[in-house]
Structure formats: C-alpha cells, structure tokens
Amino acid sequence: MPHPAFGAGAEQDAQVPGALSANPRDTGNPIVVKGQRETSIIDGIIAEDELEEADISAYGADTVADLLDQVASGIDASDDGPVVLINGQLANGIDDIADLPPEALRKIQLLPRDTASRIGQRPERRVVNIQLKPAFRQATLNAEGAFATAGKGTGAGAAAGYTKISGSNRTTITARMRDTDMLLESDRPILPTPAGATPYDLAGNVVALSGSGNEIDPAFSQLAGTRVTVAAVPSTNPTLAQFVSNANATNLNGIAAYRSLVPDSRTWSMNATLGRRLGPRTNVNITANGELTRSRSLQGAATALLRLDPASPVSVFSQAVNVARYLPVPLEAKRQGGGANLAATINHNLGKWTGTLSLNYNHREDRTLTDRGVDTAALQAAIDANLFSPFAEVPNAFLGISRRDVARSNSDLASAQATLTGPAVKLPTGEIMVSLRGGGGIHWQRSESNGSLVSTRRNDANGQVSVDVPLASRRNNVLAAIGDLRANLALGLRNASGAGRLWNHAYGLNWQPVSSVSLRGGFTGEDIAPQLAIINAPVIVYPNVRFFDFIRNETVDVTVISGGNAALLNESRRTLSFGGTLALQDRGRLNLNADFTRTRYLNRIGALPPLNAEVQQAFADRFGRDDSGRLVRVDNRPVSFAREEHEQLRWGVNFSRFFGKAQVRQARQLARQLGTALIDNDEDGPAGSPGLEGPKPWRVNFSLNHTWTLKAQRLARAGLPSVDLLDGGAFGYGGGQARHAIQFNAGIAGKGFGLQSSGTWKGATSIRAGTTPSAADLRYAPRALIDVRLFADLGRVLPDATWASGTRVSINARNLFDSRQRVTDGTGNTPLRYQPYLLDAVGRSLQVAVRKTF
C-alpha cells in the first residue's frame, strides 16, 4: 500500500532477519533498512504513486526539473503545472525545487487528484510532494555540447550549483549559461521562395517603371522579338546583346545566407532558494531568480528599386526602367530580455489548521530591434549623377541600415495570497476540510513601439472557498461496504480592473471502492481575463516571412505584424471530466488510468490559424493583398474565437519493477510494510546515510499514454459555419488536430548504467483550403519522434578510480531517426513553405554531457 503523504516523524532502525542478507551465502550479515514511520498530516490523503531513491537514480537526471520532465506524463497536464509541496509544506512552485540535485531527495510522491482542492488550489492541478533527506550537501558542475548530424546546429551549456540541507533548513544556489549558434538557410537544402510582385535579386532584374508585369521598353521588345516584362541583369557591365539574350528571363539567386533558421542566442540565469524553520510551527521558503537572454536572427536582405534613366551611359534602354536588387545587407532582428522574480511562502501551523502566506514580485524587460530596410536616396542620387552603375557592386557607404523599428516592454507584478486550511466539522465519516483563500495584486504593463507608449495597470482582488466532505469511510466504518467516497466543492470570485468580475466554481466526487481502485468525476467552470502581456504587447513588424496562402495555393514572403490586441474578450472555460485509476503493487508498480474530458470555451483566445477560405472569411481584416491579389501583409496578433469545444479520452499505463537478488526485493517489501524508505549506500551523495549493502538490482520502467480526440470544433465568429478541426480545419502550422496521439517513456538502469528513451507519435491530419476538397488541401503524414539517452555513473562503473567518483557521462540523441514532417498537397507535391527543414531546421542532434559532484 502506498505510504501516507507528507511524512514527518522520528528516524528508526528496523533489522531484517538473517535470511535477507545481502550475500545469499552469508546468513550472518543482515540487511539494515533505515527509514521513517510516516503519518499523514492531512487526514486521509495517501500517495497515489511515488518514486523512491532507487527509482529516482534510475532516470539519471541532473536536476529535479529534468526528472519531472521525464515523468511528466503522470504528473500534470494543467496550464499552471503541479502544486509543489516540500516535506508536506507548500512551496513557491517549480522554481523552488527545479535545481535541486536528485540525490537530495528521499522520494517524490504524486498525490490523489482531489488533493489540490483540499488545500485551496485549483482543483484540476496535481499535487507533488518532495521529501528531502534530513542531511545533505553537494556541489555540482555540468557541461554539455550539442550538434546536429546534418551539420552546424551547434550549442553548448554549463551549470554550477550548490545544495545544503540540514533538517528543516536548506539552501540551493545555481547558475547557468546556454549558447546556441546561428543556423542559416544556406546550411540546409532549402529551395528559395519564388519572386514576388517585384523580382528582387542580388544581381538584379530590370522591370518596367510603371509596375511589375508591364512592358519594360517597346523598343527593347522590338529588338527581342517579343513583349518583354523583365530582363535579368547579365553582368556588372552589361551590353544590349546580353540583355536581349536575357529577355523575359529572371535572376532568382536565393538569399539563404541572409535568413536564419535558428537564431544566435545566449542565456544566463541564476536561481537561489532558501528554506528556514522560524519556529516549531513556522517555516519559510524564499526563491529569487533572474535571467538575461540575447538573440540575433536574420530576416532576409534589404531591397532596392533603383531608377535608371535612358540618358545614363550604362543604360541600353530607350526609356526609364527600374532595377530590382537585393542589397548585400542582412535585415537583423535583435532581442534582449531579462527578468527577476522574488517569491516567499510562509507556512504556520495553528493546531489542526495550516495558514499560508504567499508573496511574489516579478519584473520583466524586453527590447527588440527590427531592421526594415535601407534608405536608398543617396544611392539613387549617385546613379542619377552617373557616379554609380545600378548593375555594379554596391559600395559599403550606401549600405547603412536607416529604417529600424524599436519595441520595448516592461512589466511589474506584485501579488499576495493568504490561505487557511483545516477541519471545520467532524462527521462520523471523518472531518470536513475547509480552505479559505484570499488575496490580490497589482500588475503594470508598459509597451513602446517606435516612440508610441501605452501603459496599463490592473488591480486584482480574489477569494475562494473550498470544501471537502467525506461521505463514506472504510477507516471509520461508515458505509464501509462502498469504500471511501468524498465530495469537493469550490467557489471563487476575482475582480480585475478592466475585466470585471470573474467567477470560478468546481465540484466533484472521488470514490475509492477498494484500496487499488479510485474513480473520479467533476465539473469546473472558470472565467479568465486576457493577460496584460497579451493585450498590451508592443507591435513588431517582421519583413520577409514565408507564408502559405491556401486560397491561391502559393508560398509568398509577407510582412508579419505581431503584438498585443486590446480588443480581446474575457474567456470562459467549462470542463466536465470522468476518470479512474487502478494501482497494483504486487510485483513492481503498475498504474492504469483513464480520463474522459469535455471542454467548452467561449471567446477562446488563440493565435491566428493558417490562411484558408474559412480563416479569410472570419478575419478578413487581418490579411492585406496587392492589386494582383497576392498576399503581402498578415496581422498575426492574437484573436478571440467565439466558441470552441473539445472532447478527448486519455488512457495510460505506468509500470516499474526491480530485478535482482531476492534479498533486495524482500527488503523492499519489508520496508513498505514498516512504512520506511529503503536507503542504498550507492545511491547516496557524500552526506548519505548508511543503509542497504550489496549490489543494486536492475530497474525497468515503461509508461504509455494515448490521447484519442473525439471532437474538436471551432466557431470563429457568430454567423459563420463551425469548423471541424479533425477534418481539415486550420489549427496550426503543425497541421490540424490529430485524432490520435501517443506518448511513451521506457528505460532500464543498473550497475551504474542507464538507458532512457521517450517519444511521441501523432496521426495524420489535414488542412482544407476551402469548403470542398481541392488540390490545394494539405495532408500532414503521421510522424514519430524518438529520443534516447544513455548514461553511465563512472563512480560505480570504475569504483577503484578516484577521479571517477561522482562523475556521470551521458549521450542524448534527439530525434534519433531524423524524422521529418512530410506535408503534401492534392498533387503529391510539398509547398515551399512546408519544406522539411523549414518545419524542423535542426533535425537529429547529439548531445554529450558531463556531470561532476563534490
């Protein structure tokens, strides 16, 4: 049976009979199991699943955050992530435990799905309890390097951390650096986008002065023997004969060297956490972290439309023409952002009640510089004065960037929340748990685009009441025949300036007919105000962005506008769910779970979908076209969809088991019976406690989760037809909504070695260009992505080598089989916008990492 959660108690020894000795031939050397008898400090909450020290070690994770990433499928699927407890006390969130070394943990406990509502949190969030070792100290150094097997795509990172735990006091400090090199389109086999309305090129093309598609020069057409609308520039000093040979030919040299697939970026971060017991009933957790990120990407080349008069000595035409050229000047987008966060959580026991005060302050600054082009006035003047030929190489004096957009945003958020949780009334079935929560905050958001400043402030006040009522109890022998049955109820109100009153409510039932089976059902409703960062984000204009126009079935370079949208409406979300879990722990741990969820949204906030006929009709004002109908501008700011509905069934299996010597398995079983934790010398850090002697057995783990989407429909605006996202509806550039998706994780570890693999598979999807099937419809083939990580703890592999102590080497292959998303239209061709390297520029990559502990 799983251990009670939130363990706290005196450490004791339990001697195992001699038959359980580490050496089966030596019955005089008993195994000693050291642990804690654990008691529940929240009535009736028993861990649904847990990872003990040997389980944690088998994943070979560098930090607790890495560990949770590997087991996340069984932890939490909500937007906010799990509620984190440390030794049964509420923490500041993931940041409080993210950088802890896994060696500092006694266990990770996943608590039942109704726990969050019982401690005043959102009911759909899972609760994870982290139990720390009572004494631990470790310094850690990490270094890693990565490269793509297709070439380039390199990156490197390093981290240094220190953790000390002494009873209820703990300190963790971690500093990180990450560097990623720029990856250009010229580093990958990418076909260029066809010329737009004006055929710009690095060498140049001659076009008519009156516009694209018009005749350049009647006299020139007569010489060529046909009507000429474009002529490729043949050389830096072209002759008439060369131009005649190039009549109606176009230079289409790509600008792949001026466009990046992956930006050059650097990130520095620091995270410090402090836990202190202020008294016998009070403790405090403090987290302070900061981050600075810089990146540089290339958006293409600057363009110049240069006029050439017939009087010029380099002109071969009888009338004025234009020369369309790309200038050898990359258009850059530079971003710099940084933020700092300070959070504190104070927990105080008031008898059977627990009071929590959470304080938080967050500051964020971002700055973006976007090049829009080059001022060609001086260049044109030099051409008019016959000082420069428009066909020649452009001097550096004329290549300065003069049109540059500047966007800035600053935000400050200060908030406070107080929660009081405890038993209110004692019934024959148990105690009614009540949680009262209240708080508020102030949020400032300031955005500036090219000198235009917008400042917004939002005042926030909120409160919530949660009640958990036991209806049947085996322990109290009330309606014991039906098992344990609990009902929970929550009602909350938030008043946010500019958004009005926002209600949330939830109610549910949790039934455990037997200890291994739990069933649940519930309903949640919530009104959500759009975040100020979404409403008030600065407007940024990006040139030369590839875009696929389903209506004209073509890939074009467009100008994309991003930023906030002040017209966004409050979102309403209603979720109905039913599910169950079967937990078996006879030979290993086996968990089976299944959940059906139906979610309905009103005014769903989301990104603008790909442009098909339905999207064009719903958001016609977001797309700009030239006189020929070619798409030239896309306003990509977020929008509100009138209604959206999803239904899905998600089921999964999670299995883990140890294989090895019988006495080790028997010791584990005895440890469970005693309510203790099994401790292994080999798994402890430098400050580990003595425990089980002898080799550790092998551990295998396997988990698989299948999501079956039964319904996915969206209504963009009232009066328009509803869109089926499972049948051609435009959902995102990754395709429509897949009906089936699978996630898996599998691994084996032992004797210092480990292999972990994880992967995803998504079924085929499609996007329909119009209301009926056509050749422009796109089909996204099924795709599987598999990652594999191999690691070795050298201290265990080479026990006699002093240098190997505390050293781990790992090799991580991401996208092991170099899987590519294949997208085809009705003719079987792949549109240029959906070339595989544009969807996944890096492909398969290998990462080598070294970790050293002291």
Side-chain angles (χ1 to χ4, degrees), residues 584-613:
L584 302 176
Q585 299 198 30
D586 183 20
R587 298 178 64 84
R589 288 199 292 268
L590 175 65
N591 285 356
L592 302 173
N593 61 81
D595 288 278
F596 169 80
T597 305
R598 183 181 70 190
T599 306
R600 292 178 175 176
Y601 301 89
L602 295 178
N603 302 323
R604 176 72 184 276
I605 297 173
L608 194 69
L611 174 56
N612 63 5

mmCIF file of all heavy atoms in Angstrom, residues 584-613:
data_model
loop_
_atom_site.group_PDB
_atom_site.id
_atom_site.type_symbol
_atom_site.label_atom_id
_atom_site.label_comp_id
_atom_site.label_asym_id
_atom_site.label_seq_id
_atom_site.Cartn_x
_atom_site.Cartn_y
_atom_site.Cartn_z
ATOM 1 N N LEU A 584 -1.620 -1.325 -8.866
ATOM 2 C CA LEU A 584 -1.242 -2.655 -8.389
ATOM 3 C C LEU A 584 0.228 -2.638 -8.019
ATOM 4 O O LEU A 584 1.053 -2.114 -8.771
ATOM 5 C CB LEU A 584 -1.490 -3.696 -9.484
ATOM 6 C CG LEU A 584 -2.928 -3.787 -10.004
ATOM 7 C CD1 LEU A 584 -3.003 -4.789 -11.147
ATOM 8 C CD2 LEU A 584 -3.886 -4.184 -8.892
ATOM 9 N N GLN A 585 0.574 -3.223 -6.871
ATOM 10 C CA GLN A 585 1.959 -3.185 -6.412
ATOM 11 C C GLN A 585 2.389 -4.538 -5.868
ATOM 12 O O GLN A 585 3.101 -4.624 -4.879
ATOM 13 C CB GLN A 585 2.135 -2.109 -5.349
ATOM 14 C CG GLN A 585 1.805 -0.725 -5.859
ATOM 15 C CD GLN A 585 2.384 0.353 -4.968
ATOM 16 O OE1 GLN A 585 3.404 0.161 -4.349
ATOM 17 N NE2 GLN A 585 1.728 1.488 -4.945
ATOM 18 N N ASP A 586 1.977 -5.602 -6.552
ATOM 19 C CA ASP A 586 2.368 -6.929 -6.105
ATOM 20 C C ASP A 586 3.777 -7.251 -6.583
ATOM 21 O O ASP A 586 4.694 -7.458 -5.800
ATOM 22 C CB ASP A 586 1.371 -7.962 -6.643
ATOM 23 C CG ASP A 586 1.691 -9.371 -6.155
ATOM 24 O OD1 ASP A 586 2.407 -9.487 -5.149
ATOM 25 O OD2 ASP A 586 1.233 -10.336 -6.798
ATOM 26 N N ARG A 587 3.985 -7.268 -7.879
ATOM 27 C CA ARG A 587 5.307 -7.494 -8.454
ATOM 28 C C ARG A 587 5.664 -6.259 -9.271
ATOM 29 O O ARG A 587 5.369 -6.165 -10.460
ATOM 30 C CB ARG A 587 5.297 -8.752 -9.334
ATOM 31 C CG ARG A 587 4.962 -10.019 -8.556
ATOM 32 C CD ARG A 587 4.915 -11.222 -9.482
ATOM 33 N NE ARG A 587 6.209 -11.481 -10.081
ATOM 34 C CZ ARG A 587 7.178 -12.181 -9.504
ATOM 35 N NH1 ARG A 587 7.000 -12.678 -8.283
ATOM 36 N NH2 ARG A 587 8.329 -12.390 -10.115
ATOM 37 N N GLY A 588 6.266 -5.283 -8.603
ATOM 38 C CA GLY A 588 6.516 -3.995 -9.233
ATOM 39 C C GLY A 588 5.317 -3.083 -9.051
ATOM 40 O O GLY A 588 4.340 -3.421 -8.376
ATOM 41 N N ARG A 589 5.395 -1.931 -9.655
ATOM 42 C CA ARG A 589 4.306 -0.957 -9.574
ATOM 43 C C ARG A 589 3.656 -0.841 -10.947
ATOM 44 O O ARG A 589 4.321 -0.576 -11.955
ATOM 45 C CB ARG A 589 4.823 0.400 -9.117
ATOM 46 C CG ARG A 589 5.215 0.436 -7.650
ATOM 47 C CD ARG A 589 5.263 1.879 -7.141
ATOM 48 N NE ARG A 589 6.354 2.624 -7.742
ATOM 49 C CZ ARG A 589 7.566 2.734 -7.210
ATOM 50 N NH1 ARG A 589 7.835 2.120 -6.078
ATOM 51 N NH2 ARG A 589 8.497 3.453 -7.800
ATOM 52 N N LEU A 590 2.355 -1.013 -10.984
ATOM 53 C CA LEU A 590 1.600 -0.920 -12.223
ATOM 54 C C LEU A 590 0.402 -0.024 -11.985
ATOM 55 O O LEU A 590 -0.439 -0.319 -11.134
ATOM 56 C CB LEU A 590 1.146 -2.303 -12.694
ATOM 57 C CG LEU A 590 0.232 -2.324 -13.920
ATOM 58 C CD1 LEU A 590 0.991 -1.814 -15.140
ATOM 59 C CD2 LEU A 590 -0.317 -3.728 -14.172
ATOM 60 N N ASN A 591 0.333 1.077 -12.721
ATOM 61 C CA ASN A 591 -0.783 2.006 -12.641
ATOM 62 C C ASN A 591 -1.464 2.084 -13.994
ATOM 63 O O ASN A 591 -0.808 2.299 -15.020
ATOM 64 C CB ASN A 591 -0.320 3.416 -12.237
ATOM 65 C CG ASN A 591 0.031 3.503 -10.767
ATOM 66 O OD1 ASN A 591 -0.134 2.535 -10.037
ATOM 67 N ND2 ASN A 591 0.517 4.639 -10.338
ATOM 68 N N LEU A 592 -2.756 1.916 -14.000
ATOM 69 C CA LEU A 592 -3.577 2.104 -15.192
ATOM 70 C C LEU A 592 -4.541 3.253 -14.917
ATOM 71 O O LEU A 592 -5.170 3.304 -13.849
ATOM 72 C CB LEU A 592 -4.361 0.833 -15.526
ATOM 73 C CG LEU A 592 -3.541 -0.440 -15.773
ATOM 74 C CD1 LEU A 592 -4.462 -1.642 -15.920
ATOM 75 C CD2 LEU A 592 -2.679 -0.280 -17.005
ATOM 76 N N ASN A 593 -4.623 4.184 -15.842
ATOM 77 C CA ASN A 593 -5.531 5.304 -15.633
ATOM 78 C C ASN A 593 -6.201 5.676 -16.939
ATOM 79 O O ASN A 593 -5.655 5.471 -18.035
ATOM 80 C CB ASN A 593 -4.792 6.513 -15.043
ATOM 81 C CG ASN A 593 -3.693 7.011 -15.959
ATOM 82 O OD1 ASN A 593 -3.954 7.739 -16.924
ATOM 83 N ND2 ASN A 593 -2.458 6.620 -15.680
ATOM 84 N N ALA A 594 -7.397 6.226 -16.819
ATOM 85 C CA ALA A 594 -8.156 6.669 -17.988
ATOM 86 C C ALA A 594 -9.005 7.862 -17.595
ATOM 87 O O ALA A 594 -9.539 7.924 -16.475
ATOM 88 C CB ALA A 594 -9.047 5.540 -18.521
ATOM 89 N N ASP A 595 -9.100 8.843 -18.491
ATOM 90 C CA ASP A 595 -9.880 10.045 -18.233
ATOM 91 C C ASP A 595 -10.588 10.484 -19.498
ATOM 92 O O ASP A 595 -9.987 10.540 -20.580
ATOM 93 C CB ASP A 595 -8.977 11.194 -17.745
ATOM 94 C CG ASP A 595 -8.471 10.982 -16.341
ATOM 95 O OD1 ASP A 595 -9.222 11.285 -15.399
ATOM 96 O OD2 ASP A 595 -7.333 10.507 -16.184
ATOM 97 N N PHE A 596 -11.855 10.798 -19.355
ATOM 98 C CA PHE A 596 -12.617 11.438 -20.428
ATOM 99 C C PHE A 596 -12.827 12.896 -20.043
ATOM 100 O O PHE A 596 -13.216 13.199 -18.914
ATOM 101 C CB PHE A 596 -13.972 10.765 -20.628
ATOM 102 C CG PHE A 596 -14.896 11.556 -21.529
ATOM 103 C CD1 PHE A 596 -14.766 11.498 -22.906
ATOM 104 C CD2 PHE A 596 -15.873 12.383 -20.984
ATOM 105 C CE1 PHE A 596 -15.595 12.231 -23.740
ATOM 106 C CE2 PHE A 596 -16.713 13.126 -21.802
ATOM 107 C CZ PHE A 596 -16.571 13.054 -23.188
ATOM 108 N N THR A 597 -12.552 13.795 -20.967
ATOM 109 C CA THR A 597 -12.662 15.231 -20.701
ATOM 110 C C THR A 597 -13.411 15.915 -21.828
ATOM 111 O O THR A 597 -13.117 15.676 -23.004
ATOM 112 C CB THR A 597 -11.269 15.878 -20.560
ATOM 113 O OG1 THR A 597 -10.523 15.198 -19.560
ATOM 114 C CG2 THR A 597 -11.389 17.348 -20.176
ATOM 115 N N ARG A 598 -14.369 16.741 -21.448
ATOM 116 C CA ARG A 598 -15.055 17.585 -22.423
ATOM 117 C C ARG A 598 -14.898 19.036 -21.973
ATOM 118 O O ARG A 598 -15.271 19.395 -20.855
ATOM 119 C CB ARG A 598 -16.544 17.242 -22.515
ATOM 120 C CG ARG A 598 -17.268 18.064 -23.599
ATOM 121 C CD ARG A 598 -18.745 17.738 -23.652
ATOM 122 N NE ARG A 598 -19.441 18.242 -22.483
ATOM 123 C CZ ARG A 598 -20.700 17.950 -22.167
ATOM 124 N NH1 ARG A 598 -21.388 17.109 -22.922
ATOM 125 N NH2 ARG A 598 -21.259 18.457 -21.088
ATOM 126 N N THR A 599 -14.316 19.846 -22.846
ATOM 127 C CA THR A 599 -14.051 21.248 -22.519
ATOM 128 C C THR A 599 -14.718 22.137 -23.551
ATOM 129 O O THR A 599 -14.579 21.921 -24.757
ATOM 130 C CB THR A 599 -12.546 21.525 -22.498
ATOM 131 O OG1 THR A 599 -11.900 20.606 -21.613
ATOM 132 C CG2 THR A 599 -12.267 22.942 -22.024
ATOM 133 N N ARG A 600 -15.418 23.138 -23.063
ATOM 134 C CA ARG A 600 -16.068 24.115 -23.931
ATOM 135 C C ARG A 600 -15.560 25.507 -23.584
ATOM 136 O O ARG A 600 -15.460 25.860 -22.408
ATOM 137 C CB ARG A 600 -17.598 24.061 -23.768
ATOM 138 C CG ARG A 600 -18.211 22.763 -24.291
ATOM 139 C CD ARG A 600 -19.718 22.734 -24.073
ATOM 140 N NE ARG A 600 -20.312 21.544 -24.677
ATOM 141 C CZ ARG A 600 -21.602 21.225 -24.583
ATOM 142 N NH1 ARG A 600 -22.433 22.002 -23.884
ATOM 143 N NH2 ARG A 600 -22.052 20.132 -25.169
ATOM 144 N N TYR A 601 -15.244 26.257 -24.614
ATOM 145 C CA TYR A 601 -14.735 27.616 -24.448
ATOM 146 C C TYR A 601 -15.680 28.602 -25.131
ATOM 147 O O TYR A 601 -16.234 28.320 -26.200
ATOM 148 C CB TYR A 601 -13.357 27.777 -25.094
ATOM 149 C CG TYR A 601 -12.283 26.858 -24.572
ATOM 150 C CD1 TYR A 601 -12.084 25.607 -25.141
ATOM 151 C CD2 TYR A 601 -11.434 27.257 -23.546
ATOM 152 C CE1 TYR A 601 -11.079 24.772 -24.688
ATOM 153 C CE2 TYR A 601 -10.427 26.428 -23.094
ATOM 154 C CZ TYR A 601 -10.256 25.180 -23.670
ATOM 155 O OH TYR A 601 -9.257 24.357 -23.223
ATOM 156 N N LEU A 602 -15.799 29.748 -24.516
ATOM 157 C CA LEU A 602 -16.390 30.906 -25.167
ATOM 158 C C LEU A 602 -15.313 31.988 -25.228
ATOM 159 O O LEU A 602 -14.576 32.198 -24.267
ATOM 160 C CB LEU A 602 -17.611 31.420 -24.391
ATOM 161 C CG LEU A 602 -18.817 30.475 -24.314
ATOM 162 C CD1 LEU A 602 -19.929 31.107 -23.464
ATOM 163 C CD2 LEU A 602 -19.341 30.130 -25.698
ATOM 164 N N ASN A 603 -15.225 32.650 -26.363
ATOM 165 C CA ASN A 603 -14.206 33.700 -26.573
ATOM 166 C C ASN A 603 -12.808 33.158 -26.323
ATOM 167 O O ASN A 603 -11.986 33.772 -25.660
ATOM 168 C CB ASN A 603 -14.473 34.902 -25.661
ATOM 169 C CG ASN A 603 -15.850 35.501 -25.879
ATOM 170 O OD1 ASN A 603 -16.329 35.562 -27.006
ATOM 171 N ND2 ASN A 603 -16.486 35.923 -24.802
ATOM 172 N N ARG A 604 -12.539 31.998 -26.903
ATOM 173 C CA ARG A 604 -11.234 31.342 -26.732
ATOM 174 C C ARG A 604 -10.144 32.204 -27.366
ATOM 175 O O ARG A 604 -10.204 32.556 -28.536
ATOM 176 C CB ARG A 604 -11.249 29.972 -27.396
ATOM 177 C CG ARG A 604 -9.895 29.242 -27.369
ATOM 178 C CD ARG A 604 -9.594 28.756 -25.964
ATOM 179 N NE ARG A 604 -8.284 28.129 -25.837
ATOM 180 C CZ ARG A 604 -8.004 26.861 -26.117
ATOM 181 N NH1 ARG A 604 -8.960 26.083 -26.592
ATOM 182 N NH2 ARG A 604 -6.803 26.378 -25.927
ATOM 183 N N ILE A 605 -9.114 32.527 -26.587
ATOM 184 C CA ILE A 605 -8.002 33.340 -27.073
ATOM 185 C C ILE A 605 -6.967 32.425 -27.705
ATOM 186 O O ILE A 605 -6.568 31.427 -27.120
ATOM 187 C CB ILE A 605 -7.385 34.154 -25.919
ATOM 188 C CG1 ILE A 605 -8.421 35.129 -25.351
ATOM 189 C CG2 ILE A 605 -6.146 34.899 -26.396
ATOM 190 C CD1 ILE A 605 -7.954 35.856 -24.110
ATOM 191 N N GLY A 606 -6.540 32.766 -28.924
ATOM 192 C CA GLY A 606 -5.566 31.941 -29.609
ATOM 193 C C GLY A 606 -4.870 32.696 -30.717
ATOM 194 O O GLY A 606 -5.218 33.839 -31.046
ATOM 195 N N ALA A 607 -3.876 32.034 -31.306
ATOM 196 C CA ALA A 607 -3.142 32.619 -32.421
ATOM 197 C C ALA A 607 -3.944 32.498 -33.700
ATOM 198 O O ALA A 607 -4.811 31.627 -33.841
ATOM 199 C CB ALA A 607 -1.787 31.926 -32.580
ATOM 200 N N LEU A 608 -3.669 33.364 -34.639
ATOM 201 C CA LEU A 608 -4.337 33.329 -35.934
ATOM 202 C C LEU A 608 -3.963 32.035 -36.653
ATOM 203 O O LEU A 608 -2.782 31.719 -36.799
ATOM 204 C CB LEU A 608 -3.913 34.534 -36.760
ATOM 205 C CG LEU A 608 -4.731 34.855 -38.001
ATOM 206 C CD1 LEU A 608 -6.120 35.340 -37.610
ATOM 207 C CD2 LEU A 608 -4.025 35.907 -38.846
ATOM 208 N N PRO A 609 -4.944 31.255 -37.140
ATOM 209 C CA PRO A 609 -4.629 29.995 -37.820
ATOM 210 C C PRO A 609 -4.074 30.244 -39.219
ATOM 211 O O PRO A 609 -4.106 31.374 -39.722
ATOM 212 C CB PRO A 609 -5.990 29.275 -37.892
ATOM 213 C CG PRO A 609 -6.933 30.071 -37.061
ATOM 214 C CD PRO A 609 -6.391 31.465 -37.000
ATOM 215 N N PRO A 610 -3.577 29.191 -39.888
ATOM 216 C CA PRO A 610 -3.148 29.318 -41.280
ATOM 217 C C PRO A 610 -4.290 29.819 -42.161
ATOM 218 O O PRO A 610 -5.460 29.585 -41.880
ATOM 219 C CB PRO A 610 -2.737 27.890 -41.653
ATOM 220 C CG PRO A 610 -2.411 27.234 -40.356
ATOM 221 C CD PRO A 610 -3.317 27.848 -39.341
ATOM 222 N N LEU A 611 -3.930 30.479 -43.234
ATOM 223 C CA LEU A 611 -4.902 31.172 -44.068
ATOM 224 C C LEU A 611 -5.567 30.215 -45.057
ATOM 225 O O LEU A 611 -4.981 29.837 -46.063
ATOM 226 C CB LEU A 611 -4.218 32.315 -44.826
ATOM 227 C CG LEU A 611 -5.071 33.062 -45.852
ATOM 228 C CD1 LEU A 611 -6.322 33.622 -45.202
ATOM 229 C CD2 LEU A 611 -4.267 34.164 -46.508
ATOM 230 N N ASN A 612 -6.790 29.797 -44.755
ATOM 231 C CA ASN A 612 -7.619 29.122 -45.742
ATOM 232 C C ASN A 612 -8.890 29.938 -45.939
ATOM 233 O O ASN A 612 -9.025 31.051 -45.408
ATOM 234 C CB ASN A 612 -7.924 27.679 -45.334
ATOM 235 C CG ASN A 612 -8.736 27.589 -44.046
ATOM 236 O OD1 ASN A 612 -9.169 28.590 -43.486
ATOM 237 N ND2 ASN A 612 -8.941 26.372 -43.586
ATOM 238 N N ALA A 613 -9.833 29.418 -46.686
ATOM 239 C CA ALA A 613 -11.022 30.200 -47.021
ATOM 240 C C ALA A 613 -11.821 30.581 -45.786
ATOM 241 O O ALA A 613 -12.346 31.696 -45.676
ATOM 242 C CB ALA A 613 -11.886 29.408 -48.003
#
